Amino acid sequence: MTRPLLTDRTAVITGAAQGIGYAIAELFVAEGARVVIGDLDAGLAAVAAEKLGGPGVAIGVGCDVSKSADVDGMLAAAVDTFGTLDVVVNNAGITRDATMRTMTEDQFDQVIAVHLKGTWNGVRKAAAIMREAKSGAIVNLSSISGKVGMAGQTNYSAAKAGIVGMTKAAAKEMAHHGVRVNAIQPGLIRTAMTEAMPQKVWEEKVAGIPMQRVGDPSEIASVALFLASDLSSYMTGTVLEVTGGRFM
Ligand code: NAD
């Protein structure tokens, strides 16, 4: 039998109370990791941690990733509880879709704060801890919207494209410290974020997917596992598209 891929490693996953983040946490636990569920919703984070096995395996921590002190607290909880910090997945996200004509400045700022600043907080705070251990893997959730740009998402597309540049810059800074930084660009994945979409828009989007179906959160989780584990030991600064072929 092969050894699980994340045995004895500690992984922090932001925005993991539900959706893609929860699927990542679930798979990481199945692969032997201890996980910290960081989420804006502390109550849901605690419930998710309990579902994953509770104390000894998973803890939930309330954290707003756009606040650097919260990110410090979440990472400290990982080290204090489990002893190491081996993997950080910067997954927390929101949408505030609107055309430029109607988007408010606040809607723009909120999306930039959570995705761009939140990921920057996660990357640099994790990197500061991991460089001491001379090992670690950071996985950032970008989006295919950051590759092609989506109408109604000037805020989100800008933030998700920014995460690509940030991932590459951080990968260059951290490579010689033994810390890898990579990103994933999911296409259309079935979660609360996308199920809010009107049925007509949903159908139009699915029609443009070569594989002719939406993705499941578990199909992002398996790629996150690859980037978090030694299976990708010679990869850093990469961006993997997980889209069923959409916008290839
Ligand atoms: P989701 O809405 O189901 O879950 C997002 C989670 O993030 C929630 O639990 C929420 O409480 C948490 N969160 C929001 N703001 C936060 C903050 N400031 N600090 C900490 N936690 C916060 O979304 P999802 O579909 O699972 O998306 C996860 C990630 O994947 C996001 O970064 C999203 O942009 C990206 N993504 C999703 C899709 C998709 O089709 N679902 C496609 C491309 C990229």
Side-chain angles (χ1 to χ4, degrees), residues 178-189:
V179 180
R180 302 183 297 107
V181 191
N182 291 288
I184 300 174
Q185 289 189 320
L188 185 62
I189 310 299

Side-chain angles (χ1 to χ4, degrees), residues 164 167-168 171-172 180-183 235-239:
V164 171
T167 298
K168 294 180 182 186
K172 284 180 180 163
R180 302 183 297 107
V181 191
N182 291 288
M235 290 172 72
T236 198
T238 68
V239 183

Side-chain angles (χ1 to χ4, degrees), residues 73-87:
M74 174 182 64
L75 299 182
V79 176
D80 292 347
T81 309
F82 299 123
T84 59
L85 179 68
D86 305 290
V87 176

Side-chain angles (χ1 to χ4, degrees), residues 43-120:
L44 273 185
V47 170
E50 206 50 51
K51 265 202 296 187
L52 292 170
V57 179
I59 59 165
V61 176
C63 168
D64 178 347
V65 295
S66 67
K67 301 203 166 87
S68 67
D70 280 19
V71 174
D72 278 334
M74 174 182 64
L75 299 182
V79 176
D80 292 347
T81 309
F82 299 123
T84 59
L85 179 68
D86 305 290
V87 176
V88 170
V89 181
N90 293 300
N91 165 83
I94 57 169
T95 49
R96 296 288 184 269
D97 295 356
T99 61
M100 280 195 292
R101 205 158 71 89
T102 55
M103 186 180 292
T104 63
E105 211 173 319
D106 194 43
Q107 286 173 321
F108 182 83
D109 289 345
Q110 280 177 30
V111 167
I112 296 297
V114 175
H115 289 281
L116 205 50
K117 176 90 178 291
T119 301
W120 185 68

Side-chain angles (χ1 to χ4, degrees), residues 14-22 38-41 44 62-67 70 90-96 110 113-115 118-119 141-145 156 160 163 184-195 197 202 215 217 220:
T14 68
Q18 63 178 45
I20 291 171
Y22 182 78
D39 204 285
L40 191 58
D41 190 326
L44 273 185
C63 168
D64 178 347
V65 295
S66 67
K67 301 203 166 87
D70 280 19
N90 293 300
N91 165 83
I94 57 169
T95 49
R96 296 288 184 269
Q110 280 177 30
V114 175
H115 289 281
T119 301
L141 268 290
S142 173
S143 165
I144 205 67
S145 305
Y156 185 83
K160 291 304 201 184
I163 287 173
I184 300 174
Q185 289 189 320
L188 185 62
I189 310 299
R190 190 182 296 278
T191 68
M193 184 179 275
T194 48
E195 278 178 338
M197 219 181 276
W202 178 269
I220 303 301

